[in-house]
Amino acid sequence: MPSDHVSPSTRPRAAGSKAAGLWRDGLRGNTSRVARALRESGPSTRAELVTRTGLSRPTVSAALVELIDGGLAAEESKASAQATGGRRAAVVSLTRKTGLAVGVDIGRRHVRVAVADLGQRILTERSEPLDRDADDRPAQVLDHTASMVDDALADVGAVRGDIVGVGLGIPVPLTRAGVLGSPTLLPAWADLAPAAELSARLGVPVHADNDANLGALGEQRWGAGRGTKVFVYVKLATGVGAGLVFDGVLFRGITGTAGELGHITLDAHGPVCQCGNRGCLELYVGGRALLDHARHTHPTLTSLSDLTALAAEGDLRLRRLLNDAGGHLGIALGGLVNLVNPELIAVGGELGAAAQLFLDPLRTGLSSTAMPAAAEAVHIAPATLGDRATALGGVVLALTV
């Protein structure tokens, strides 16, 4: 393993960044404003662009003429976009010529990459397991990630110079300065700025955030959270995290570390957590803790997927373990519901795939700690994007920064 933090990939890259240069220098004034609205919101009608940009309809139309004539945008009729009077409204979207957005999810045991065009069409996705935990070998993991990005680009006949931006998710809180908000959770990464490290390897802009935050963005754009105003995404995997979306905007808090649901204290006199506090929710609900408990009766268990599969097949001891975990999670979520009064909580992550096994005790636990009106208003459901949520949320981050 290289001793220095930055070890850029030696794979060939396009000279400069064509797409980034287009956004920086090639689009100006009202045309840039309309293009930015399309990039952030996706395919839109002209009326929607007038609302989002605050420009007049003739000004929006003039900007679209420039974009369409330059091959940067395309317009087509969509049956799902009905105009008044029964006519089909024309929908405008950016073309691939404007560049690509890349989402990256670095987990403790996997890396996933998604590539989309700026019209918000997902073009390709790749996922690979890591043979060892990512915790103690950041340089190797980042090198491998850069190689996976190159492979995903090759899938669609693209090069690094086509990338406008990369959104990177990692399984720890990040501050607004881009460093770890709790270094003890991923000690070997403690002195790194993950976005800067991956940017040095790829030669393109990279923006990083916590994996649960990006999962929330992915589910808000393409999954269970579509159309919601106040939305909470809970990621249950090795750790426990939450992403909070208010009126379509991710809430990060003053330092950027909001949503650390797994480190809410359930028992102030409980066992010491990896974060340094006692009795954290993650010690009762996190995947690492659940596997440790399960191995008392199932010593050969090696993964959460095996645990949930056996529980789904009817193993009573593992069902009880998940039932108890759901109750603990519900108690913690009740406090969150009291604070933010969400309309939807979507449960995702590796354990989220087994959500139906513990949603009932979760609801019971939540009802025991949340105010009745807030508890009755919130809907709790499995997330719909599965293990794709964080990488797709990375695409959203790259599109909107």
Side-chain angles (χ1 to χ4, degrees):
M1 179 188 301
S3 59
D4 58 324
H5 290 152
V6 179
S7 52
S9 170
T10 57
R11 299 183 77 155
R13 69 182 71 178
S17 181
K18 298 178 292 183
L22 170 67
W23 281 94
R24 185 179 62 248
D25 305 319
L27 298 175
R28 300 185 182 280
N30 291 329
T31 301
S32 175
R33 195 164 165 181
V34 171
R36 169 61 66 175
L38 286 169
R39 172 175 165 171
E40 293 181 353
S41 300
S44 306
T45 65
R46 291 173 182 251
E48 288 168 340
L49 289 171
V50 168
T51 300
R52 288 171 185 149
T53 62
L55 300 171
S56 68
R57 189 176 185 90
T59 301
V60 167
S61 295
L64 289 178
V65 167
E66 183 176 345
L67 290 170
I68 293 170
D69 287 351
L72 304 178
E75 190 170 28
E76 60 180 327
S77 293
K78 291 284 188 181
S80 60
Q82 287 292 120
T84 57
R87 282 174 37 199
R88 291 180 179 179
V91 174
V92 184
S93 60
L94 295 176
T95 68
R96 180 167 162 172
K97 188 175 179 179
T98 54
L100 301 175
V102 176
V104 174
D105 170 20
I106 296 179
R108 285 186 165 87
R109 296 300 300 269
H110 73 272
V111 177
R112 189 176 190 95
V113 173
V115 178
D117 65 19
L118 300 199
Q120 302 193 8
R121 291 169 285 263
I122 305 301
L123 303 178
T124 189
E125 298 179 59
R126 279 177 170 257
S127 181
E128 294 182 9
L130 295 173
D131 55 3
R132 298 189 355 249
D133 281 357
D135 300 30
D136 59 351
R137 51 194 187 113
Q140 288 182 355
V141 170
L142 288 163
D143 289 344
H144 181 67
T145 300
S147 179
M148 282 186 65
V149 170
D150 284 325
D151 291 341
L153 291 172
D155 288 343
V156 296
V159 294
R160 295 181 186 179
D162 296 319
I163 298 175
V164 167
V166 177
L168 166 64
I170 63 171
V172 288
L174 288 174
T175 69
R176 291 184 182 273
V179 297
L180 271 64
S182 183
T184 59
L185 296 179
L186 215 58
W189 295 67
D191 296 327
L192 300 180
E197 295 288 341
L198 188 57
S199 180
R201 287 163 167 80
L202 292 174
V204 299
V206 178
H207 307 273
D209 208 328
N210 171 258
D211 58 351
N213 281 348
L214 294 193
L217 289 180
E219 290 284 347
Q220 172 79 9
R221 181 64 56 91
W222 287 299
R226 283 179 295 179
T228 57
K229 291 292 186 181
V230 183
F231 168 59
V232 176
Y233 169 77
V234 176
K235 182 172 184 180
L236 300 177
T238 303
V240 179
L244 315 175
V245 181
F246 303 150
D247 288 329
V249 178
L250 187 66
F251 178 76
R252 293 183 171 90
I254 194 66
T255 64
T257 60
E260 282 303 303
L261 181 69
H263 299 286
I264 288 178
T265 298
L266 287 187
D267 181 359
H269 303 289
V272 176
C273 179
Q274 190 177 2
C275 73
N277 293 329
R278 286 185 177 274
C280 292
L281 175 67
E282 195 164 290
L283 296 174
Y284 304 91
V285 178
R288 184 182 284 118
L290 290 180
L291 277 173
D292 286 344
H293 288 300
R295 287 180 184 131
H296 290 300
T297 56
H298 298 71
T300 61
L301 272 180
T302 59
S303 69
L304 287 176
S305 58
D306 290 341
L307 188 160
T308 55
L310 287 173
E313 290 169 6
D315 187 294
L316 294 180
R317 288 169 294 188
L318 297 182
R319 278 181 174 265
R320 176 59 186 266
L321 184 65
L322 291 177
N323 192 290
D324 290 347
H328 290 308
L329 178 60
I331 289 170
L333 285 175
L336 180 64
V337 166
N338 284 339
L339 287 173
V340 304
N341 193 199
E343 60 188 289
L344 173 66
I345 297 174
V347 181
E350 194 172 357
L351 277 169
Q356 295 295 352
L357 295 175
F358 57 79
L359 280 185
D360 284 344
L362 188 162
R363 293 186 180 103
T364 300
L366 186 151
S367 296
S368 72
T369 53
M371 295 290 289
E376 291 169 8
V378 66
H379 178 59
I380 303 167
T384 59
L385 295 180
D387 57 8
R388 306 170 65 209
T390 295
L392 294 186
V395 169
V396 177
L397 180 63
L399 288 167
T400 53
V401 291

